[in-house]
């Protein structure tokens, strides 16, 4: 019998559709070469957009503004409650307002290097180019970015860079940017160009004659399962960090939309590349269902330290300066506390493993603002970070103006996702993935403040150009609701729900999710090794079998039933977790957020193996528990040549 570990290697991916020629001209060339749809013909086309975060909201508003009819879906009660609203610190753009040496080329370089040379150069350069347009778009929409005395937009630094290119609105940048996209989307809803379906969750992708032509969705209030048909489908459903159970994501964020598309033929790329964020409030107990992020912007003025001696349990104010270890400033003097997220996270794990961690269980380090308050004054610090300080105090009952914050790494962003080409199209024609739902721009580690940049770039600027090209080249006959492929997809989705309701076991969805997430964190989290990954790959199928024997879903499918929602998402988490561990096992190198214990430099840093793994791993689904097929997209570096990353 074939084991899941016996994956095969399929045909390499040789055509990612990126134009050749000078990298600075590739995006302009692609836009010029793209075919257009006559304005009078656009109203004849229907596009489905799943998700209303920055990527989805921007895409829906822009496509509708162009004249297309958009059917948009979100599982929240309002589009403006998408998880993008939780982003705090800022959005990158190469405006160089500080005149500190920034440029499109430098943002491109920092992003490729920060991603540990596992991203496609053409996509990253396009992102850097578009970054300057994003800021102008958002200012025109009224986004209240912070401004400095002269009236220009203010900026600050983020991890992995030595310039100030991050635009922000206190600690509420994601909220303000999402409101900008939401008002543009609302205008199109009012105009009748966008049909909005809130509290509705995608359950499956409808593929007709090899092309994506719609989705199956469930009304979360009434339980009604229905099909929705279109000429193209856009997934903007976010990342899959909640597979770990404890993460910084909104509790309902999930992987079902992209995973069900994967089951229908869309390749899934680099699933093991998950990001560990270094500045999260430490876990306080088994009762928790999620973790809380403290913005990376705090590392601009906060200094990170632990006691020099292991087991030092004194209060931080009682530990003299000479007995403190500002370990990031010591190990990485050029970047100090602003090293990239993967570097800062691993360093925190190292000092805690040495017994020098602080707080309950020794799983924390200090983020101290005493020097900043002394240098700038409390009022200036409050103006920059006041809402973050207030949030921290409400959760921990500790005043960060008086005592240092305690932070520890946690699951945050996912760099993996559906494989897409330069046009953001998956391996299923007519299916596009944007924002965190795709794998495209960040490599093995996302630089801070680049998630908002990518989401808005994809939604406002890239997708509207490339999707139009697809629609112009692929005029398809309308698909009726009675088509066999449509009926099959609806039957598959309802069959899964009925099967879940019929088990009537004795374990809740949360109990399974917590066990699966703990297993992933232990064996495929901040550090992984072969033995642990093999243990996980042995345990996950056992857990999946137990799930189908013991899951308890009370109620019915014809009503609001959150237990049914959770259990349905868990079906995908089991398969996704298995693929994540296989992807991590096959990649025997340390790279970005993926640290293999067996692959490290003599001084303990991550060691890439470019000659073996300079590719994106795109996996093809072959069935639950069946060995997948690996397709490699070789990465070429013409402009930023891979070197061992150094932030010292």
């Amino acid at each position: 019998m074939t084991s899941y570990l016996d994956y095969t290697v399929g045909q390499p991916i040789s055509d990612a559709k990126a134009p050749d020629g000078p990298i600075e001209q590739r995006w302009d060339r692609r836009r010029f070469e793209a075919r257009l749809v006559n304005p009078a013909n656009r109203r004849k086309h229907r596009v489905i957009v799943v998700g209303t975060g920055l990527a989805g909201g921007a895409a829906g508003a822009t496509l509708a503004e162009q004249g297309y009819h958009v059917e948009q879906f979100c599982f929240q009660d309002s589009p403006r409650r998408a998880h993008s609203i939780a982003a705090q610190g800022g959005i990158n753009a190469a405006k160089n307002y500080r005149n500190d040496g920034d440029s499109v080329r430098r943002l491109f370089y920092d992003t490729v290097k920060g991603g540990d040379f596992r991203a496609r150069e053409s996509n990253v350069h396009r992102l850097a180019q578009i970054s300057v347009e994003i800021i102008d778009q958002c200012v025109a929409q009224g986004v209240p970015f912070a401004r400095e005395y002269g009236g220009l937009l203010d900026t600050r630094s983020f991890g992995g860079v030595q310039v100030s290119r991050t635009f922000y609105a206190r600690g509420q940048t994601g909220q303000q940017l999402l409101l900008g996209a939401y008002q543009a989307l609302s205008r199109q809803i009012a105009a009748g160009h966008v049909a909005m379906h809130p509290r509705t969750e995608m359950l499956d992708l409808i593929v007709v004659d090899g092309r994506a032509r719609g989705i199956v969705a469930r009304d979360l209030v009434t339980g009604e399962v229905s099909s929705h048909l279109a000429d193209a489908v856009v997934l903007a459903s976010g990342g899959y960090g909640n597979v770990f159970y404890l993460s910084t994501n909104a509790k309902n964020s999930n992987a079902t939309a992209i995973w069900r598309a994967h089951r229908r033929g869309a390749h899934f790329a680099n699933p093991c590349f998950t990001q560990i964020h270094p500045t999260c409030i430490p876990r306080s107990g088994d009762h928790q269902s999620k973790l809380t992020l403290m913005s990376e912007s705090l590392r601009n003025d906060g200094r990170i330290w632990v006691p020099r001696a292991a087991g030092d349990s004194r209060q931080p104010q009682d530990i003299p300066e000479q007995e403190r270890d500002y370990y990031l400033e010591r190990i990485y003097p050029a970047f100090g506390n602003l090293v990239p997220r993967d570097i800062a996270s691993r360093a925190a794990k190292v000092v805690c493993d040495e017994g020098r961690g602080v707080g309950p269980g020794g799983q924390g380090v200090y983020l101290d603002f005493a020097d900043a308050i002394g240098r700038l004054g409390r009022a200036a610090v409050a103006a920059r970070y006041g809402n973050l300080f207030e949030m921290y105090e409400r959760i921990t009952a500790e005043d960060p103006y008086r005592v240092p914050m305690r932070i520890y790494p946690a699951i945050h962003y996912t760099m993996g996702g559906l494989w897409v080409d330069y046009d953001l199209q998956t391996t299923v024609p007519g299916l596009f993935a944007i924002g965190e739902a795709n794998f495209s721009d960040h490599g093995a580690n996302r630089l801070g403040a680049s998630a908002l940049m990518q989401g808005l770039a994809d939604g406002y600027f890239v997708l509207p150009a490339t999707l139009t090209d697809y629609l112009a080249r692929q005029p398809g006959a309308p698909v009726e609701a009675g088509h066999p492929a449509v009926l099959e997809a609806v039957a598959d989705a309802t069959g899964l729900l009925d099967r879940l309701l019929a088990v009537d076991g004795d374990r809740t969805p949360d109990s399974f999710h917590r066990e699966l997430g703990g297993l992933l964190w232990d064996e495929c989290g901040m550090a992984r090794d072969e033995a642990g990954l093999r243990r996980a790959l042995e345990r996950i199928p056992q857990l999946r079998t137990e799930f189908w024997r013991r899951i308890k879903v009370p109620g019915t499918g014809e009503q609001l039933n959150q237990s049914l929602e959770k259990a349905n998402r868990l079906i995908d988490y089991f398969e996704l977790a298995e693929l994540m561990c296989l992807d991590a096992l096959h990649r025997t190198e340390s790279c970005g957020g993926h640290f293999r214990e067996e692959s490290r430099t003599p001084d303990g840093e991550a060691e890439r193996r470019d000659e073996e793994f300079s590719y994106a791993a795109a996996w093809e689904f072959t069935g639950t528990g069946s060995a997948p097929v690996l397709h490699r997209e070789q990465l070429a570096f013409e402009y930023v040549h891979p070197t061992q990353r150094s932030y010292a």
Side-chain angles (χ1 to χ4, degrees):
M1 182 176 177
T2 302
S3 163
Y4 186 79
L5 292 168
D6 297 328
Y7 67 89
T8 56
V9 178
Q11 292 295 318
I13 298 173
S14 57
D15 181 18
K17 292 186 182 175
D20 54 12
I23 198 168
E24 299 85 358
Q25 300 173 14
R26 292 178 185 175
W27 175 229
D28 289 337
R29 279 187 54 200
R30 180 68 190 101
R31 284 188 295 178
F32 179 74
E33 292 170 357
R35 293 183 61 179
L36 304 177
V37 176
N38 184 297
N41 289 332
R42 293 175 193 164
R43 70 177 71 97
K44 302 175 184 178
H45 287 287
R46 185 179 300 269
V47 179
I48 286 174
V49 179
V50 179
T52 58
L54 288 181
T62 306
L63 292 172
E65 186 73 42
Q66 289 179 332
Y68 297 105
H69 182 76
V70 176
E71 295 271 347
Q72 193 136 9
F73 298 80
C74 69
F75 58 67
Q76 298 91 352
D77 57 356
S78 166
R80 63 187 174 88
R81 290 174 64 86
H83 184 56
S84 296
I85 206 167
Q88 300 167 342
I91 177 171
N92 288 330
K95 286 285 197 182
N96 195 32
Y97 284 168
R98 290 287 187 95
N99 196 27
D100 56 358
D102 200 13
S103 63
V104 168
R105 182 63 180 265
R106 189 175 296 278
L107 176 53
F108 163 62
Y109 171 84
D110 287 344
T111 305
V112 173
K113 177 187 176 185
D116 222 352
F117 305 96
R118 291 295 177 263
R120 192 187 293 146
E121 279 192 332
S122 294
N123 287 64
V124 176
H125 195 278
R126 176 176 65 187
L127 181 64
Q129 284 177 265
I130 292 174
S131 71
V132 298
E133 301 175 53
I134 295 171
I135 301 302
D136 296 340
Q137 170 89 7
C138 295
V139 169
Q141 289 177 334
V143 173
F145 287 118
R147 294 181 180 267
E148 48 88 43
Y149 177 77
L152 287 177
L153 301 183
D154 199 9
T155 55
R156 56 192 179 197
S157 295
F158 253 64
V161 303
Q162 292 180 303
V163 295
S164 294
R165 66 162 67 101
T166 303
F167 295 78
Y168 65 98
R170 296 187 73 193
Q172 307 167 344
T173 313
Q175 177 180 354
Q176 300 303 329
L177 291 172
L178 185 62
L179 290 175
Y182 173 64
Q183 70 179 4
L185 183 63
S186 296
R187 177 175 179 269
Q188 297 303 320
I189 294 172
H193 301 152
V194 174
M196 190 67 225
H197 301 273
R199 304 193 81 169
T200 307
E201 184 167 27
M202 173 179 164
L203 299 183
D204 209 343
L205 178 72
I206 296 171
V207 180
V208 179
D209 297 329
R211 299 188 177 277
R213 297 302 303 269
I215 66 169
V216 178
R218 179 175 182 267
D219 185 310
L220 297 180
V221 178
T222 67
E224 180 186 2
V225 176
S226 56
S227 59
H228 303 264
L229 302 171
D231 299 301
V233 176
V234 179
L235 299 186
S237 52
Y240 51 90
N242 270 351
V243 67
F244 287 88
Y245 187 72
L246 288 179
S247 83
T248 65
N249 291 268
K251 185 61 182 167
N252 278 336
S253 296
N254 64 86
T256 290
I258 56 175
W259 192 259
R260 301 285 165 94
H262 174 56
R263 292 174 63 95
R264 292 290 180 185
H267 293 177
F268 206 106
N270 300 337
C272 77
F273 284 163
T274 55
Q275 182 170 79
I276 317 294
H277 198 293
T279 55
C280 298
I281 298 178
R283 175 182 173 183
S284 58
D286 291 339
H287 64 282
Q288 280 186 267
S289 61
K290 75 177 302 294
L291 296 172
T292 303
L293 172 69
M294 289 284 99
S295 170
E296 183 179 325
S297 63
L298 295 168
R299 292 199 278 153
N300 274 285
D301 291 305
R303 299 180 70 192
I304 296 173
W305 64 276
V306 292
R308 289 191 177 276
D312 192 333
S313 59
R314 288 177 291 176
Q315 294 298 310
Q317 60 269 28
D318 297 331
I319 301 177
E321 193 73 16
Q322 64 272 19
E323 296 181 36
R324 301 180 179 186
D325 181 12
Y326 296 91
Y327 57 90
L328 291 178
E329 298 173 28
R330 170 174 57 82
I331 303 171
Y332 310 104
F335 284 73
N337 296 297
L338 287 173
V339 293
R341 292 176 176 178
D342 60 319
I343 305 290
S345 295
R346 277 200 301 277
K349 181 179 186 299
V350 168
V351 296
C352 290
D353 289 349
E354 291 171 349
R356 297 194 286 148
V358 300
Q363 296 293 296
V365 299
Y366 288 128
L367 179 61
D368 196 336
F369 287 86
D371 285 358
I373 293 172
R375 182 179 74 255
L376 302 170
R378 175 170 172 149
V381 172
R384 293 180 183 179
Y385 313 113
N387 61 313
L388 298 172
F389 278 38
E390 179 183 354
M391 181 168 66
Y392 181 87
E393 184 172 8
R394 286 186 178 185
I395 292 172
T396 66
E398 297 175 359
D399 181 0
Y401 292 104
R402 297 179 53 253
V403 296
M405 290 183 179
R406 287 179 293 108
I407 57 171
Y408 193 69
I411 293 292
H412 182 52
Y413 190 88
T414 53
M415 286 76 67
L418 293 184
W419 183 92
V420 292
D421 60 19
Y422 190 70
D423 287 353
L424 305 182
Q425 188 170 201
T426 71
T427 50
V428 176
L431 176 66
F432 294 76
I434 60 177
E436 195 179 356
N438 71 35
F439 88 107
S440 109
D441 293 354
H442 306 298
N445 173 60
R446 178 176 68 79
L447 289 181
S450 287
L452 308 185
M453 176 174 63
Q454 186 212 347
L456 292 179
D458 287 358
Y460 281 136
F461 298 102
V462 181
L463 180 79
T466 60
L467 178 62
T468 292
D469 180 74
Y470 169 79
L471 294 174
R473 295 176 187 275
Q474 302 294 338
V479 175
E480 301 298 329
H483 191 285
V486 178
L487 298 178
E488 178 192 354
V490 173
D492 287 348
T494 54
L496 272 180
L497 299 178
D498 291 342
R499 186 181 172 194
L500 287 169
L501 290 163
V503 174
D504 195 27
D506 60 356
R507 285 191 62 177
T508 66
D510 278 347
S511 74
F512 278 107
H513 194 178
R514 187 180 291 108
E515 183 174 350
L516 176 67
L519 178 68
L520 267 187
W521 175 252
D522 290 340
E523 310 297 8
C524 197
M526 266 196 286
R528 309 103 182 248
D529 60 27
E530 180 177 352
L533 292 168
R534 289 187 179 277
R535 282 195 299 270
L537 286 167
E538 181 179 354
R539 176 57 182 152
I540 292 169
Q542 297 170 354
L543 196 57
R544 180 167 57 225
T545 299
E546 185 177 347
F547 170 84
W548 282 114
R549 185 170 54 85
R550 297 183 60 188
I551 186 65
K552 174 71 173 180
V553 179
T556 71
E558 289 74 42
Q559 63 181 139
L560 175 66
N561 190 335
Q562 292 185 310
S563 290
L564 182 60
E565 295 169 32
K566 292 177 181 179
N568 187 50
R569 295 163 187 166
L570 263 173
I571 296 171
D572 308 308
Y573 283 151
F574 284 123
E575 295 178 355
L576 171 58
E578 200 169 24
L579 186 63
M580 289 170 65
C581 291
L582 180 63
D583 188 45
L585 182 64
H586 111 275
R587 190 175 284 273
T588 55
E589 65 165 351
S590 290
C591 188
H594 170 83
F595 187 77
R596 280 293 290 266
E597 296 282 5
E598 304 95 332
S599 184
R600 61 173 77 199
T601 64
D603 55 353
E605 297 290 350
E607 184 174 42
R608 290 194 325 273
R609 297 180 178 176
D610 294 329
E611 67 286 352
E612 298 175 64
F613 295 103
S614 189
Y615 59 78
W619 297 90
E620 177 185 354
F621 184 79
T622 62
T624 302
S626 298
V629 179
L630 170 63
H631 301 270
R632 298 187 178 109
E633 180 199 344
Q634 205 65 35
L635 299 172
F637 295 94
E638 303 174 65
Y639 294 87
V640 183
H641 297 291
T643 57
Q644 190 65 35
R645 280 199 301 167
S646 173
Y647 294 93

